[in-house]
Amino acid sequence: MTRKVPMGAAALILAAGEGTRMRSSLPKVAHRILGVPLVRYVLDAAYDAGCGRVVVVTGHGAELVESLLGGETCVRQERQRGTGHAVMCAEAALAGVTGSLVVLSGDAPLLQASTIARLVEARETSGAAAVVLTTSLHDPTGYGRIVRDDAGALSAIVEHRDLGPAQLGIAEVNTGTYCFDAEVLFEHLHRLGTANAQGEYYLTDMIALLRAEGLTIAGIATGEPEETLGVNTRVQLAEAAKVLQRRINREHMLGGVTMTDPDLVWIAPSVGLGRDVVLEPMTTLMGATSVGDGCVLGPDTRVTDSTIAPRATIDSSIVVGAVVGEDACVGPRAYLRPGTVLEAHAKAGTSVEIKNSVIGEGSKVPHLSYIGDAAVGKGVNIGAGTITCNYDGQRKHRTQIGDGAFIGSDTMLVAPVSIGEGAMTGAGSAIAQDVPAGALGIERCDQKNVDGWVAFKKAGQGSDDQ
Ligand code: UD1
Ligand code: MG
């Protein structure tokens, strides 16, 4: 359980950079892990930590990034003139903020809410003007280094390009995550200059500046070192995805979920899983999905934006925007599309596609069928190869099937059409008219049997061969 920061704390997320090394037409923070844009992870961590107010600085691809953030407060940084300049752009949007202001990078999706809370707590208990989240790396190349005075106190951050020869060996780096006293930050922000290797306004220069004013600066270390991995390349994007996968899967396993091979199971952060769920390899659960107790999903299964009730089984199937009832059975190789409701104990079996339809309690669609825009009652059996012909080329039409009906194999149900309670259709029929309750609907040519045909045919072929 994450410890919350006092609700007064605000957060600023810097997300205006282009991300040149992604080699992409998308802005870096719009790239996704498990379906969620990078910047969204940072935003959620800030809210989960208890930050009451969050502002995001956008720039490259601003319209797209802002659309991914819904109604969040965004400010534009038209030209990217450095992290210090990005904070200056947010000054008006943060007017009136007092107390703690957390500054985060939009490209660091692994930072945990508990670490943000720890950072705020460290500042509020020490009364420091700023607290920097630091970590030590075997290879600190590219990072800003933490410079400490003889007493060990944090006195400056020096960017890699601006390091003196004696500072090159410093392993402790700036993670780009800070908590400032908001009033102190904005009081001094405009004193930042651009006298550095990149000619930018560095937020990192605030540390030496505040120290020179006699203010206290503190540093705290990250929990796990990988937490501060910034995504600059697609290689790092995959690395960050792997860390998130492990973190999410571990939580679910500790919560009572069995995974035969957790490396082959991908679960989005928004997915909820009950106890004694079993996830077989190559199972992917995305979006707003919830899975009830005792379900068995996979192998080779993808479930997106769906609700799966307890004890359902889904084998080698795709389920999107659907509701699967208790003890229902899906697959192998079924495709449940948006608007499908499979009620309790129902079955959608082998190579069955269902869209925008309710399949009533205990009803079965076991093999090779397409059911679209249909309301199927309880205890219905739908024979192999049945198709609802729901589309006339211009409009979609509905099919109704009453409780207890029996649809013969290879029935074409030409919608709009209604099959009454307990009615039957003959195998191979194209049913274009309603069938009353209890009746048999059959549409079929009379069968002819030609006696002796097989022998006659064989004899004919035999003479051809010689
Ligand atoms: C920054 C830090 C460095 C730290 C590293 C950790 C500075 C000067 N340096 O370097 O000490 O070790 O992060 O990853 O802060 N951004 C804007 N507007 C800008 C520039 C950047 O919004 O004008 C955003 C970027 O989108 C990104 C974040 O700020 O999300 C950090 O910027 P980036 O260019 O990645 O800084 P680093 O060189 O990594
Ligand atoms: Mg960076």
Side-chain angles (χ1 to χ4, degrees):
M1 190 62 194
T2 300
R3 215 165 0 153
K4 302 272 180 178
V5 303
M7 283 306 284
L12 178 63
I13 300 174
L14 309 186
E18 180 182 7
T20 324
R21 283 174 288 163
M22 294 298 279
R23 299 189 184 280
S24 175
S25 51
L26 275 185
K28 177 163 69 176
V29 297
H31 281 262
R32 291 169 188 264
I33 296 177
L34 289 162
V36 180
L38 297 183
V39 65
R40 196 78 235 179
Y41 283 95
V42 184
L43 188 79
D44 289 346
Y47 281 128
D48 286 350
C51 294
R53 188 163 165 187
V54 182
V55 173
V56 184
V57 182
T58 61
H60 268 281
E63 275 172 29
L64 173 65
V65 175
E66 287 165 16
S67 74
L68 298 174
L69 293 171
E72 299 298 329
T73 307
C74 296
V75 295
R76 295 265 177 108
Q77 184 192 25
E78 299 298 346
R79 273 183 58 219
Q80 283 66 59
R81 299 168 67 196
T83 46
H85 181 252
V87 179
M88 291 175 201
C89 294
E91 190 169 359
L94 290 167
V97 170
T98 56
S100 290
L101 174 67
V102 180
V103 179
L104 306 165
S105 283
D107 63 354
L110 302 176
L111 186 70
Q112 303 192 72
S114 54
T115 304
I116 298 176
R118 218 157 45 81
L119 195 65
V120 174
E121 197 180 307
R123 199 199 71 77
E124 293 184 358
T125 50
S126 67
V131 180
V132 182
L133 185 68
T134 76
T135 191
S136 290
L137 298 177
H138 286 301
D139 179 12
T141 310
Y143 285 89
R145 306 297 209 283
I146 301 297
V147 178
R148 292 181 180 273
D149 63 18
D150 292 342
L154 208 160
S155 56
I157 299 172
V158 180
E159 289 308 294
H160 183 84
R161 297 186 205 209
D162 303 300
L163 287 172
Q167 296 167 320
L168 274 167
I170 300 174
E172 190 183 12
V173 304
N174 168 30
T175 64
T177 308
Y178 322 81
C179 180
F180 288 97
D181 176 318
E183 286 167 288
V184 172
L185 173 69
F186 287 114
E187 210 177 292
H188 296 83
L189 191 61
H190 290 275
R191 288 173 51 193
L192 287 179
T194 57
N196 53 56
Q198 295 193 92
E200 289 185 349
Y201 295 96
Y202 287 167
L203 180 61
T204 45
D205 287 347
M206 283 306 295
I207 301 305
L209 209 147
L210 297 179
R211 254 296 282 243
E213 294 291 303
L215 295 163
T216 311
I217 310 295
I220 64 165
T222 56
E224 11 166 298
E226 60 199 3
E227 196 182 356
T228 55
L229 179 76
V231 173
N232 295 311
T233 66
R234 309 243 186 181
V235 174
Q236 288 168 328
L237 184 69
E239 282 168 8
K242 204 69 202 164
V243 174
L244 274 167
Q245 180 201 32
R246 293 218 174 100
R247 194 188 278 172
I248 290 169
N249 287 358
R250 187 185 146 78
E251 281 301 308
H252 286 304
M253 287 189 282
L254 291 173
V257 172
T258 294
M259 296 182 199
T260 320
D261 184 347
D263 273 333
L264 298 180
V265 172
W266 291 87
I267 305 171
S270 48
V271 172
L273 299 178
R275 284 171 65 139
D276 294 316
V277 167
V278 176
L279 302 178
E280 299 288 3
M282 305 299 286
T283 295
T284 300
L285 308 177
M286 301 290 282
T289 290
S290 70
V291 179
D293 293 350
C295 288
V296 179
L297 310 190
D300 290 321
T301 289
R302 195 170 86 219
V303 181
T304 304
D305 295 330
S306 295
T307 302
I308 316 297
R311 298 177 307 282
T313 60
I314 305 180
D315 181 4
S316 308
S317 293
I318 297 173
V319 177
V320 184
V323 175
V324 174
E326 289 187 17
D327 300 289
C329 175
V330 178
R333 290 181 300 286
Y335 182 18
L336 304 190
R337 292 168 50 202
T340 297
V341 177
L342 212 57
E343 290 185 346
H345 299 279
K347 173 174 182 158
T350 316
S351 301
V352 166
E353 176 176 339
I354 303 179
K355 181 216 79 168
N356 190 31
S357 297
V358 176
I359 309 297
E361 192 178 331
S363 291
K364 299 196 179 347
V365 192
H367 338 265
L368 299 161
S369 289
Y370 170 64
I371 306 295
D373 304 305
V376 176
K378 298 182 200 313
V380 171
N381 190 84
I382 296 194
T386 295
I387 289 173
T388 52
C389 310
N390 60 328
Y391 186 47
D392 61 12
Q394 282 160 337
R395 289 172 52 215
K396 302 282 172 66
H397 301 281
R398 295 194 60 78
T399 298
Q400 309 267 357
I401 301 177
D403 292 349
F406 181 95
I407 307 299
S409 295
D410 195 28
T411 298
M412 298 295 115
L413 295 159
V414 184
V417 71
S418 173
I419 311 296
E421 267 186 43
M424 295 180 83
T425 67
S429 298
I431 301 293
Q433 292 168 36
D434 292 353
V435 179
L440 168 69
I442 184 157
E443 182 275 341
R444 212 190 262 167
C445 295
D446 288 343
Q447 179 175 334
K448 291 193 189 81
N449 290 338
V450 181
D451 289 335
W453 169 263
V454 176
F456 166 77
K457 189 72 181 159
K458 273 189 184 155
Q461 280 171 352
S463 60
D464 282 352
D465 289 349
Q466 281 163 7

